[in-house]
């Protein structure tokens, strides 16, 4: 194809199994998925060697414009009709989703998790959050050094996540942790010991 996309099929790693476990349990009865982030469809493509996905699945990825364009090109080249791409600023306008998921994206968003979900006219029944840096007690912003630049990096506390989701009418079903540390220079008490994931379900 025009785009070198072979790495998409090998992106999945062992730390992603909790997300795959819950998604596999839900997806045959909840076939409309909205993924905030997701790049070119890395998770979608790489899990297909591990689990079967419904033929009538509708998986929409909300991303930045460049990723949207590349993602559509790859899907077209692969003749993949179950995956769609929209600009991330249009995420709240998507038709109601059964599953809202995001992996490694919330820490870069200007809106909080609460604001993102609150903006939906009809909120998703299931919410899956993966690879989120979490501090035991405090929520704050820091900077992530990407080499060529530094970007704002939002750190949530578990209490904040649980409180926000409770206000939105969700209850926690499961959580998991990935051992990945983040050192905050000069503020050792704010350093992160791990990244976390959560599965919430709407109470009503």
């Amino acid at each position: 194809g025009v785009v070198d996309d072979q790495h998409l099929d090998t992106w999945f790693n062992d730390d992603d199994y909790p997300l795959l476990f819950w998604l596999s349990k839900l997806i045959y009865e909840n076939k409309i998925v909205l993924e905030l982030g997701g790049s070119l469809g890395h998770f979608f493509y790489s899990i297909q060697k591990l689990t079967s996905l419904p033929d009538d699945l509708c998986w929409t990825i909300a991303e930045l414009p460049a990723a949207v364009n590349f993602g559509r090109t790859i899907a077209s080249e692969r003749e993949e009709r179950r995956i769609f791409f929209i600009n991330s600023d249009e995420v709240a306008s998507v038709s109601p989703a059964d599953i809202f998921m995001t992996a490694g994206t919330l820490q870069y968003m200007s809106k909080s998790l609460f604001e993102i979900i609150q903006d939906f006219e009809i909120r998703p029944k299931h919410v899956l959050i993966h690879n989120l840096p979490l501090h035991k007690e405090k929520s704050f912003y820091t900077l992530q050094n990407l080499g060529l630049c530094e970007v704002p990096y939002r750190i949530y506390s578990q209490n904040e996540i649980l409180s926000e989701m409770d206000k939105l009418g969700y209850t926690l079903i499961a959580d998991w942790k990935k051992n990945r540390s983040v050192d905050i220079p000069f503020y050792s008490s704010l350093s992160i010991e791990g990244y976390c994931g959560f599965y919430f379900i709407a109470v009503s």
Side-chain angles (χ1 to χ4, degrees), residues 5 8-13 17 20 23-24 27-28 35 40-55 57 59 61 74-75 78-85:
D5 61 346
L8 293 179
D9 302 305
T10 58
W11 179 85
F12 185 93
N13 61 60
Y17 273 107
L20 175 61
L23 188 66
S24 298
I27 204 163
Y28 271 87
E35 182 181 7
L40 308 179
H42 289 64
F43 193 75
F44 172 85
Y45 290 116
S46 64
I47 65 173
Q48 294 191 47
K49 63 181 181 294
L50 301 170
T51 189
S52 60
L53 298 176
D55 292 336
L57 177 67
W59 187 308
I61 291 177
I74 291 170
R78 292 186 172 206
E79 298 183 349
E80 176 55 72
R81 296 180 175 85
R82 295 172 294 178
I83 190 169
F84 308 88
F85 292 84

Side-chain angles (χ1 to χ4, degrees), residues 92-103:
S93 64
V94 176
S95 299
D98 301 315
I99 301 171
F100 172 78
M101 63 175 281
T102 182

